[in-house]
Amino acid sequence: MQFMLLFSRQGKLRLQKWYVPLSDKEKKKITRELVQTVLARKPKMCSFLEWRDLKIVYKRYASLYFCCAIEDQDNELITLEIIHRYVELLDKYFGSVCELDIIFNFEKAYFILDEFLLGGEAQETSKKNVLKAIEQADLLQEVSHVG
Amino acid sequence: MSDVVEKTLTALPSLLSLDSQPGSAKLSSTSKLGNLIRGITELTSKHEEEKLIQRELTSIKDQVSSPNTSMRQMKELMVRAIYCEMLGYEASFSYIHAIKLAQQGSVLDKRVGYLAVSLFLNESHELLLLLVNTVLKDLQSTNLIEVCMALTVVSQMFPKDMIPAILPLVEDKLNHPKEIIRRKAVLALYKFYLIAPNQVQHIHNKFRKALCDKDPGVMTASLHIYLQLIKENSEGYKDLTASFVTILKQVVGGKLPMDFNYHSVPAPWLQIQLLRILSLLGKNDQSTSEIMYEVLDESLRRAEMNHNITYAILYECVKCIYTIQPKSELLEKAAKCIGNFVLSPKINLKYLGLKALTYVVQQDPKLALQHQMTIIECLDHPDLIIKRETLELLFRITNGQNVTVIVEKMLDFLRISKDDYTTIDLVGKVAELAEKYPFETMNTVFSLGGDMMQPDIPNSFLKLLSEGFDSDEEDRKLRLFAVDSYVSLLQSEPNKLPQRFLQVISWVLGEYSHLSAELEPATVMTLLSKLLDLKHTSSETKSWVLMAMTKLCEGGVAISVAQDIYETHSSSMDTVLRQRAQELQHLSQDSELYLMGGVDSSLSFLDGFVSEALAAGAAPYKPPHQRQEELAQAKALSLEPYSLSLPISMSSCSIADRQSPTLMSMSSGLSGDSTDLSHKGGSTTLKLDGVKRVWGREGYLAQREPVEETAQVEVPSPLRSPSQQAEADSTQSQTPTPTVTPELEQDKQQLASSLFVGLGSQSSVCLMGKSDPTPQRFRRKAQGRASSSGASEKTPTSLGSTPSPVDNLLCNSLLDSNLVSEPTNQTPQASQSLDTTNGNCHEELTDVKENNPSLIHNNEEPDKPKDLCLSSHLPTELSGLSHSEITPLCSNQSVNLSACHVQKEDSLQLVIFIFNSSDSALQQMQLQVDSGELKVNYCLSLITDSPVEEVRSHSVAVCHYSVTVKRPSVHVEVLGMLSYQLPGGTPQTIQFSHKLPLTTFIRPLTLSTEEYGSMWLAFSQDTKQNLTLINDDQDPLTTTLNVLKKKLQLHVVEIIGVEGIVACQLVQDQPCLMHCRVHAGTLAVWLRSPVPDLPDCLLYHCQRALQEH
């Protein structure tokens, strides 16, 4: 995977994770273009896009769009499932997640993502294991707060 | 789950506006980040947002650099800085503090510090060097979480040059007791391998250790590295194939812990990774491929659940099966899988189906044929992505015969595409096709561009052709190919080609047809001479044609052709044509003159004369353009009309030519006609008025109003008059019920036949590996084309009477796919599954018998089963329509052919039944149907999904064609040939011909009297004759016209007194008008049409109809 973007229906970026080195300018340009393209698509349309030399796989969950860029030979359907699993993870962690959870706790969303995908590849696909790792780190946090 | 998210997220706006709501309490509403976010949402303009963020950034900046800020506060500041960056505002001042936070903070602060670093910086950022020490320290930490954080950041970004510093530590972690650490270490090494492969070369054996790790998670992580390694060098890892297969087997068999399941599918990510690796290993390697066949089969079988994730696995499986060495069983299953994807109503699956088809289509073009109707639907899909993928698919199946249609579709897409990347890609593809199929593409350009195109395009094309390229051999091939493709074009339907294209064709044939050894000059002459007879050929084109002929007029037949042409054109009104005809005549007669050939183009024999003239004071020669320039400069009188070049004067000539016969025939007709015409002579416009008034005086004007009123009451469409309505009622049984969908379907089918032409045979070649029964059928192969066209010319039948449309013939033979249905009679070898089918058949049988008691039973073969009911085999789209009698065509000991037709509004559907009466299956069956007068298109039925070349014993195959008339004739004849092979026998052919009366192609043409009037004047082909009048009680004219209406499906436009006007059309859109007048006890009819021969043929049928009455 090359990058993952989360943005709202209004086109506001909520999360961005880049797995390929790009300049800030380039990132901004890509984000702007993609948000525009994806938002322009109708609900019944295909979840896949050919964009430059990449494949974009996106899915909308309520007001949030999850959008991944993969290479041509990668499997689009499994990427959709990566998105879905990430949403499941967020949902489990926040307890029925909503956009506001992600806005106000975006660093948590990043931690979960990092535990799930590493360097653009699925690292741990078990829901239980990802959340265990996150909880352990969180717990440590609580402890040190107390201490 | 997503429903829950949906519900929660829809409540979002209310949450945002009312932050005092209890729900927002958990959203750290009191934090500074919370305040910032809320602050931003309350703003209305971008400008305000900018101001707010700048203020925020300044405050963050002040705080981070203050020595009093604690690490905990720093953490909070970093989160805000990340947020500002995400909104697009730069916060580069905080980067160094992020590194400091990662370095100095407690475990929890560190986490945010590392996150900020990974979000702010990329691996080439210089500040990253400062992170190395922190990472080193954390890797050595005893705190697992710190180690994890370090490994996480390392696998996301690390300066390439510093890898050696931490590599030993990361390697050590491969032996760590905790699997999460081992897993992250493997992924870190994977990242190192990607950015600096040579740095990790020495640890390849450690990768193997990771692959054998007892924890499946670690093993899965190592597959990322192996996929990469095998991508680069598949040879080096063949020994691992068996291991990968074993792993996959265990995964598929559900041997992994439940943790790895995803929606109860075992480790889908792992499965897909393995499948990708296997496909790389098995590519072009038979023995390795064999190892994996079993597990692939197993994977296909297991992935049956209806869930996206199983589709993901199936898709990868199919790709793998088509990448490795083929195995027919697996291919069959994979093809079925692709079919499910393509036919799926889910758009994502459809897209992947198309993608898979694109991937496999070169190996298995048959598959594309199977799904051609879906593909065509996708071509018009509202989602451009689907459309684009379909074009990609078509691009892969492009061949010499369909390139024109495909290029056209691509150009259509280009016109609507706004995306630069797609445009560049697609333009590249069109250019590639143009390079591969220069003539086909240029043919498209010529045919589409027509006469609108710039004249220099054909000129430069001819120049290119004549000057040639680098190698002589290439040139020869190109020219030969051009000749062949043009000959076949002329043989099929020259009347549709634009003038400029005809000119190009004439020139090329004149210059280069000698290159083709099989092509007799006489053949070309005959083809060319047909162009001269075409109605719409302009004089300019004719002159090109004649010039081409002068280059060819050598030898016996050619002379006689030349003689004929001379006779027709020596009296032409056009002087240029006359001259060309003369030249042709002389050259063909005088072979010495012909052979002398060489022309002294420098006119050196005039040198003496010129120098003498110059010496005598004559002005030196100036080329015309120079003269014109000088004239223009001198502001002399414009001499333009006289300085026009020859071709233009010719074309102006042609306008006059085209018009004059029409005018003459019209005026003569008018004067000869006894209708009340007060205007004689005068201008054309006056005459036109006069004609309109004729109908007025006869009371037409008086009747007109009521007619219109009723028309409005009964039918809203003004095109349909009440009489037509009545006629439609009375002839209900005869008129085929028009439906919208068949027309649409037919459009699609026509598109299908033009798109998928040439695929069928390819598939039989490469998939089955059997040899092509008819050799050399591809237009691409210049040699082959020449031989086939040559052969067809030598056949006396096709040379004399019908110019064989090789194009169509080719299309048909290639597209031949057949409907094979179950036999209606029980055969001993019928399988068990037949029972149910048989039941259906009986039902159908009785059904059909009730509806069509007159169904013919083939009486030629007494031993044939009597209950054979062919009409039940009619294609489903025709089954609802009434069809003609099923007539036997021909038969031999093993096959019976019969045919029937169904009249549709826009075409005639011809159905040919092939009954296999032998006890063994017919194989490699091919039916070729062809006609000189008809355009025959093969129709694919929607219910068949595979083109069958085999007919089982005692079953029936059905071939369905859509037929329209190319050239009217009293009876049009369809010639056909069926070739087949009995098992173990030699190939056999059986020929037949089938006559269709022209009346089957006649449809009523609904017009108003006014429309009739204006059309009448526009048509030039006319015929007059007296017909017998049916004399019954009161109104002979009405009775007679009603008989014609009933028998020939004519439309009676209006009857006024002793005159009646009638209109009909030959499918498709070739009108013929008939004017009838009772005169001295007979019916004087006068027919007009733009189509040559149509009036005569129709007259014949009118006569027959009235005689039979």
Side-chain angles (χ1 to χ4, degrees):
Chain A
M1 190 182 293
Q2 305 239 336
F3 56 83
M4 186 188 229
L5 299 175
L6 262 71
F7 50 87
S8 70
R9 211 163 41 179
Q10 289 78 29
K12 284 253 188 294
L13 194 60
R14 295 300 180 210
L15 208 77
Q16 53 175 342
K17 189 81 192 180
W18 302 84
Y19 297 110
V20 283
L22 289 169
S23 73
D24 284 348
K25 214 176 133 199
E26 187 71 9
K27 285 180 191 172
K28 272 183 200 166
K29 188 166 174 266
I30 292 175
T31 311
R32 202 173 47 238
E33 270 182 44
L34 266 186
V35 167
Q36 227 170 37
T37 319
V38 171
L39 287 180
R41 290 181 62 79
K42 298 194 178 71
K44 288 275 154 130
M45 282 182 167
C46 173
S47 303
F48 316 129
L49 274 182
E50 272 153 64
W51 185 79
R52 302 198 188 173
D53 53 347
L54 296 178
K55 274 274 155 60
I56 305 297
V57 178
Y58 72 91
K59 190 159 183 192
R60 186 180 147 179
Y61 286 88
S63 57
L64 263 192
Y65 284 88
F66 291 71
C67 174
C68 293
I70 54 171
E71 276 150 67
D72 191 48
Q73 68 270 24
D74 288 335
N75 190 314
E76 289 91 345
L77 282 178
I78 199 88
T79 312
L80 267 185
E81 294 314 304
I82 283 184
I83 294 177
H84 189 72
R85 169 69 13 138
Y86 182 46
V87 175
E88 283 181 337
L89 285 168
L90 291 172
D91 192 61
K92 186 93 185 258
Y93 182 79
F94 288 107
S96 66
V97 70
C98 72
E99 191 181 345
L100 281 191
D101 291 321
I102 296 170
I103 298 173
F104 284 96
N105 301 288
F106 64 88
E107 80 274 19
K108 297 272 169 49
Y110 276 121
F111 292 143
I112 296 171
L113 185 62
D114 281 347
E115 208 55 50
F116 173 45
L117 297 178
L118 194 49
E121 304 287 351
Q123 174 199 187
E124 173 61 84
T125 53
S126 150
K127 215 165 15 177
K128 199 179 84 191
N129 290 348
V130 172
L131 292 176
K132 203 168 83 189
I134 297 288
E135 272 155 22
Q136 273 173 352
D138 281 351
L139 205 65
L140 205 72
Q141 218 159 339
E142 300 300 323
V143 169
S144 56
H145 268 297
V146 174
Chain B
M1 197 282 320
S2 57
D3 290 342
V4 181
V5 183
E6 188 98 28
K7 244 182 266 164
T8 330
L9 287 188
T10 38
L12 189 75
S14 60
L15 282 176
L16 271 175
S17 54
L18 303 164
D19 40 353
S20 57
Q21 286 253 324
S24 57
K26 69 165 181 175
L27 306 168
S28 55
S29 54
T30 51
S31 73
K32 283 180 180 163
L33 175 72
N35 288 334
L36 172 65
I37 295 168
R38 250 187 310 282
I40 291 168
T41 33
E42 279 159 15
L43 297 178
T44 46
S45 75
K46 184 80 188 162
H47 179 67
E48 282 177 335
E49 181 189 293
E50 215 161 286
K51 264 184 11 202
L52 182 80
I53 302 277
Q54 287 312 336
R55 222 166 40 230
E56 182 76 18
L57 283 175
T58 324
S59 120
I60 295 175
K61 198 173 182 174
D62 288 346
Q63 289 182 56
V64 287
S65 36
S66 146
N68 299 328
T69 311
S70 72
M71 277 303 146
R72 198 178 158 197
Q73 284 168 321
M74 192 69 104
K75 183 188 105 187
E76 213 277 322
L77 290 168
M78 275 310 130
V79 171
R80 272 152 66 196
I82 296 174
Y83 191 79
C84 292
E85 281 242 324
M86 187 156 68
L87 290 178
Y89 300 90
E90 200 199 273
S92 52
F93 63 86
S94 57
Y95 296 173
I96 182 76
H97 298 285
I99 289 174
K100 219 162 89 186
L101 185 65
Q103 205 166 31
Q104 296 168 3
S106 63
V107 182
L108 70 134
D109 307 327
K110 215 183 239 315
R111 198 178 175 205
V112 174
Y114 273 129
L115 176 68
V117 169
S118 71
L119 290 173
F120 287 154
L121 309 179
N122 64 36
E123 61 200 26
S124 51
H125 203 288
E126 49 189 5
L127 280 180
L128 217 49
L129 286 180
L130 299 176
L131 195 70
V132 176
N133 267 329
T134 317
V135 169
L136 265 178
K137 200 181 86 200
D138 284 337
L139 280 178
Q140 287 162 305
S141 161
T142 50
N143 186 333
L144 282 186
I145 295 191
E146 279 182 335
V147 179
C148 280
M149 284 192 279
L151 285 172
T152 304
V153 81
V154 159
S155 13
Q156 292 187 60
M157 57 172 60
F158 202 74
K160 201 152 92 180
D161 309 331
M162 300 312 282
I163 290 174
I166 57 161
L167 190 58
L169 284 174
V170 177
E171 275 179 64
D172 271 355
K173 296 291 178 268
L174 291 176
N175 299 321
H176 200 278
K178 278 283 186 190
E179 71 268 4
I180 185 172
I181 305 281
R182 295 205 300 276
R183 195 176 66 216
K184 283 180 194 280
V186 170
L187 283 170
L189 290 176
Y190 169 59
K191 178 73 181 174
F192 293 166
Y193 179 78
L194 286 180
I195 57 175
N198 50 341
Q199 307 255 28
V200 286
Q201 255 167 3
H202 60 287
I203 43 172
H204 278 198
N205 59 333
K206 293 201 174 159
F207 295 155
R208 293 222 173 195
K209 206 172 152 237
L211 182 65
C212 304
D213 198 288
K214 61 181 190 297
D215 180 68
V218 180
M219 184 268 293
T220 310
S222 76
L223 290 183
H224 293 303
I225 302 178
Y226 275 102
L227 180 64
Q228 202 59 38
L229 290 170
I230 292 169
K231 238 186 228 171
E232 282 152 23
N233 168 29
S234 65
E235 285 308 311
Y237 299 89
K238 298 274 183 190
D239 57 322
L240 286 175
T241 314
S243 318
F244 292 130
V245 167
T246 319
I247 298 172
L248 184 55
K249 233 177 242 172
Q250 287 175 353
V251 176
V252 173
K255 299 274 164 36
L256 288 189
M258 285 293 281
D259 275 355
F260 289 89
N261 282 10
Y262 176 84
H263 293 268
S264 61
V265 174
W269 278 273
L270 178 54
Q271 285 195 46
I272 283 171
Q273 199 75 1
L274 284 167
L275 286 169
R276 289 180 69 180
I277 290 177
L278 288 182
S279 69
L280 290 173
L281 287 171
K283 196 173 182 179
N284 303 325
D285 185 339
Q286 184 61 43
S287 58
T288 314
S289 295
E290 271 164 21
I291 307 176
M292 46 188 91
Y293 287 149
E294 193 194 325
V295 73
L296 289 176
D297 193 38
E298 176 88 6
S299 295
L300 277 182
R301 211 157 43 76
R302 293 266 182 166
E304 270 172 352
M305 214 175 60
N306 185 18
H307 187 280
N308 255 346
I309 197 74
T310 52
Y311 290 126
I313 295 171
L314 277 180
Y315 177 70
E316 209 62 49
C317 230
V318 166
K319 256 173 88 174
C320 180
I321 287 170
Y322 272 97
T323 312
I324 62 172
Q325 290 301 104
K327 186 182 190 224
S328 56
E329 270 170 61
L330 282 178
L331 285 179
E332 214 169 279
K333 287 182 186 171
K336 214 175 127 202
C337 242
I338 294 181
N340 289 342
F341 274 86
V342 172
L343 296 174
S344 167
K346 291 182 185 167
I347 189 160
N348 287 344
L349 295 187
K350 200 179 261 310
Y351 171 84
L352 284 183
L354 287 171
K355 206 178 148 190
L357 265 185
T358 311
Y359 187 71
V360 307
V361 77
Q362 268 152 339
Q363 293 176 56
D364 195 353
K366 223 177 166 183
L367 211 52
L369 264 183
Q370 266 178 39
H371 298 295
Q372 45 180 303
M373 288 325 275
T374 319
I375 293 172
I376 281 168
E377 274 160 27
C378 290
L379 209 49
D380 288 327
H381 203 281
D383 192 345
L384 283 189
I385 299 298
I386 300 279
K387 227 171 163 166
R388 173 80 186 77
E389 193 59 42
T390 316
L391 284 179
E392 188 72 36
L393 170 61
L394 291 180
F395 173 69
R396 304 286 174 101
I397 59 165
T398 311
N399 58 36
Q401 285 149 282
N402 60 16
V403 63
T404 49
V405 192
I406 289 176
V407 166
E408 209 179 300
K409 290 279 162 202
M410 286 180 153
L411 294 178
D412 281 350
F413 188 88
L414 274 177
R415 273 176 214 123
I416 51 167
S417 162
K418 288 185 194 76
D419 175 27
D420 290 347
Y421 203 88
T422 317
T423 309
I424 292 166
D425 182 60
L426 216 53
V427 165
K429 285 189 169 134
V430 173
E432 195 183 321
L433 290 180
E435 244 167 65
K436 257 196 200 155
Y437 307 103
F439 292 101
E440 286 87 346
T441 317
M442 277 323 274
N443 288 356
T444 327
V445 173
F446 282 134
S447 312
L448 288 181
D451 295 327
M452 318 273 274
M453 94 172 70
Q454 303 279 337
D456 56 325
I457 294 176
N459 288 346
S460 55
F461 177 68
L462 290 182
K463 200 170 158 215
L464 178 88
L465 204 59
S466 61
E467 286 175 356
F469 305 97
D470 297 334
S471 105
D472 284 349
E473 181 53 26
E474 278 292 287
D475 289 350
R476 211 187 66 84
K477 268 194 202 156
L478 273 180
R479 288 168 188 160
L480 190 62
F481 182 71
V483 168
D484 286 332
S485 74
Y486 290 162
V487 165
S488 65
L489 270 175
L490 286 190
Q491 278 165 342
S492 55
E493 38 194 42
N495 50 339
K496 287 204 178 135
L497 303 173
Q499 298 300 314
R500 283 202 198 285
F501 195 19
L502 285 179
Q503 292 162 13
V504 168
I505 290 175
S506 312
W507 187 86
V508 169
L509 289 183
E511 286 292 315
Y512 298 120
S513 62
H514 64 88
L515 289 174
S516 170
E518 293 91 343
L519 207 57
E520 295 285 327
T523 317
V524 184
M525 288 281 279
T526 321
L527 282 175
L528 288 173
S529 69
K530 283 197 183 108
L531 292 181
L532 293 176
D533 299 337
L534 286 179
K535 170 91 200 6
H536 71 285
T537 310
S538 70
S539 324
E540 189 186 352
T541 309
K542 281 183 181 163
S543 145
W544 281 78
V545 170
L546 285 171
M547 275 180 351
M549 289 172 113
T550 48
K551 295 172 194 159
L552 294 166
C553 58
E554 192 190 10
V557 192
I559 294 175
S560 68
V561 176
Q563 186 62 37
D564 287 350
I565 287 164
Y566 171 69
E567 275 160 21
T568 12
H569 289 88
S570 57
S571 56
S572 165
M573 300 281 279
D574 191 324
T575 46
V576 179
L577 284 187
R578 245 179 10 234
Q579 166 155 6
R580 298 268 178 249
Q582 288 277 5
E583 287 168 6
L584 177 63
Q585 154 83 351
H586 281 288
L587 278 169
S588 64
Q589 304 276 304
D590 190 341
S591 58
E592 249 176 68
L593 184 64
Y594 181 81
L595 288 174
M596 206 170 73
V599 171
D600 184 359
S601 61
S602 66
L603 303 179
S604 58
F605 59 92
L606 287 174
D607 282 355
F609 175 79
V610 172
S611 55
E612 245 173 60
L614 283 174
Y621 172 75
K622 284 174 185 166
H625 61 91
Q626 196 185 342
R627 264 178 281 164
Q628 223 159 20
E629 255 171 42
E630 283 173 11
L631 277 173
Q633 278 165 2
K635 296 221 159 89
L637 278 174
S638 167
L639 294 175
E640 249 178 9
Y642 302 100
S643 60
L644 283 175
S645 58
L646 188 62
I648 299 174
S649 70
M650 267 170 24
S651 65
S652 65
C653 222
S654 78
I655 293 167
D657 265 5
R658 261 176 68 81
Q659 282 187 347
S660 52
T662 333
L663 283 178
M664 272 159 63
S665 77
M666 198 184 78
S667 53
S668 68
L670 286 170
S671 55
D673 196 48
S674 64
T675 45
D676 193 1
L677 178 65
S678 52
H679 301 267
K680 292 219 167 108
S683 71
T684 327
T685 43
L686 274 176
K687 278 179 196 164
L688 282 169
D689 289 341
V691 171
K692 272 185 183 171
R693 283 225 311 258
V694 170
W695 299 103
R697 292 234 178 137
E698 296 286 330
Y700 157 62
L701 279 175
Q703 284 174 10
R704 191 189 147 111
E705 277 175 10
V707 165
E708 272 200 349
E709 265 171 34
T710 44
Q712 272 170 358
V713 174
E714 285 189 330
V715 250
S717 153
L719 277 174
R720 284 196 113 202
S721 67
S723 63
Q724 162 70 9
Q725 188 73 22
E727 179 200 65
D729 291 339
S730 68
T731 57
Q732 214 172 19
S733 55
Q734 279 208 336
T735 353
T737 41
T739 45
V740 187
T741 34
E743 274 172 42
L744 266 177
E745 281 310 325
Q746 208 186 332
D747 281 354
K748 282 185 187 165
Q749 279 167 358
Q750 263 168 7
L751 181 60
S753 58
S754 49
L755 277 178
F756 298 96
V757 67
L759 285 185
S761 67
Q762 275 177 4
S763 78
S764 68
V765 170
C766 62
L767 201 78
M768 315 297 188
K770 68 182 172 198
S771 65
D772 218 333
T774 7
Q776 307 283 20
R777 289 183 302 185
F778 300 108
R779 291 179 53 179
R780 261 301 274 167
K781 291 182 188 163
Q783 280 308 123
R785 283 289 306 109
S787 68
S788 74
S789 66
S792 69
E793 283 304 315
K794 276 169 202 152
T795 333
T797 47
S798 55
L799 177 70
S801 57
T802 55
S804 86
V806 177
D807 256 357
N808 280 335
L809 197 135
L810 284 175
C811 300
N812 292 329
S813 70
L814 294 177
L815 267 173
D816 257 1
S817 61
N818 304 294
L819 279 168
V820 170
S821 17
E822 295 295 340
T824 44
N825 57 326
Q826 185 81 42
T827 48
Q829 59 268 64
S831 62
Q832 290 172 328
S833 64
L834 253 174
D835 285 343
T836 47
T837 333
N838 237 24
N840 289 339
C841 273
H842 282 306
E843 267 177 38
E844 270 175 51
L845 211 82
T846 48
D847 232 36
V848 171
K849 272 180 183 158
E850 273 167 23
N851 292 340
N852 303 301
S854 68
L855 262 178
I856 107 147
H857 296 266
N858 200 329
N859 47 11
E860 283 189 350
E861 295 251 321
D863 56 322
K864 228 177 97 180
K866 283 278 178 258
D867 60 345
L868 175 76
C869 181
L870 288 171
S871 65
S872 63
H873 294 289
L874 271 175
T876 39
E877 63 264 38
L878 298 180
S879 55
L881 305 167
S882 66
H883 60 84
S884 72
E885 270 192 346
I886 298 176
T887 44
L889 295 174
C890 63
S891 62
N892 63 11
Q893 64 285 358
S894 43
V895 281
N896 280 302
L897 293 173
S898 23
C900 76
H901 57 259
V902 174
Q903 293 189 16
K904 288 203 339 191
E905 199 169 58
D906 56 350
S907 65
L908 188 77
Q909 306 290 314
L910 178 67
V911 181
I912 295 177
F913 302 94
I914 304 163
F915 174 73
N916 178 3
S917 56
S918 71
D919 288 329
S920 39
L922 301 182
Q923 288 164 341
Q924 298 185 18
M925 194 191 71
Q926 282 201 322
L927 182 64
Q928 299 184 3
V929 176
D930 183 27
S931 166
E933 298 100 357
L934 298 174
K935 188 174 152 76
V936 186
N937 279 325
Y938 187 78
C939 296
L940 277 146
S941 167
L942 290 175
I943 54 153
T944 40
D945 45 14
S946 61
V948 187
E949 293 178 342
E950 208 178 279
V951 189
R952 271 182 288 152
S953 170
H954 297 288
S955 39
V956 177
V958 177
C959 295
H960 171 198
Y961 300 88
S962 170
V963 191
T964 49
V965 177
K966 249 184 347 194
R967 221 180 49 204
S969 123
V970 172
H971 286 284
V972 285
E973 192 170 28
V974 180
L975 299 170
M977 187 176 78
L978 176 76
S979 60
Y980 62 94
Q981 199 169 356
L982 287 166
T986 49
Q988 300 195 33
T989 55
I990 172 168
Q991 297 188 342
F992 61 88
S993 71
H994 183 44
K995 275 193 177 173
L996 294 161
L998 191 72
T999 45
T1000 53
F1001 295 94
I1002 298 291
R1003 305 283 180 275
L1005 176 66
T1006 321
L1007 307 159
S1008 70
T1009 310
E1010 272 174 319
E1011 284 166 336
Y1012 183 99
S1014 60
M1015 276 171 95
W1016 179 262
L1017 290 172
F1019 297 162
S1020 54
Q1021 305 284 337
D1022 64 354
T1023 304
K1024 287 187 206 173
Q1025 188 145 1
N1026 288 345
L1027 295 179
T1028 45
L1029 204 56
I1030 297 170
N1031 271 313
D1032 67 344
D1033 37 8
Q1034 341 72 358
D1035 193 350
L1037 178 61
T1038 316
T1039 321
T1040 313
L1041 290 187
N1042 278 339
V1043 168
L1044 291 178
K1045 181 171 95 176
K1046 210 171 142 198
K1047 289 205 172 167
L1048 302 178
Q1049 298 198 47
L1050 308 178
H1051 168 58
V1052 180
V1053 181
E1054 200 171 358
I1055 298 177
I1056 309 150
V1058 291
E1059 289 179 57
I1061 49 174
V1062 179
C1064 68
Q1065 59 179 331
L1066 186 66
V1067 285
Q1068 206 171 14
D1069 298 332
Q1070 299 182 313
C1072 184
L1073 306 179
M1074 189 158 110
H1075 175 247
C1076 313
R1077 195 168 148 269
V1078 181
H1079 179 70
T1082 57
L1083 186 70
V1085 290
W1086 184 7
L1087 287 107
R1088 274 197 174 186
S1089 167
V1091 188
D1093 301 336
L1094 182 55
D1096 291 314
C1097 299
L1098 200 64
L1099 198 60
Y1100 169 85
H1101 284 289
C1102 291
Q1103 271 171 334
R1104 285 280 306 272
L1106 294 175
Q1107 274 165 18
E1108 281 167 11
H1109 184 74

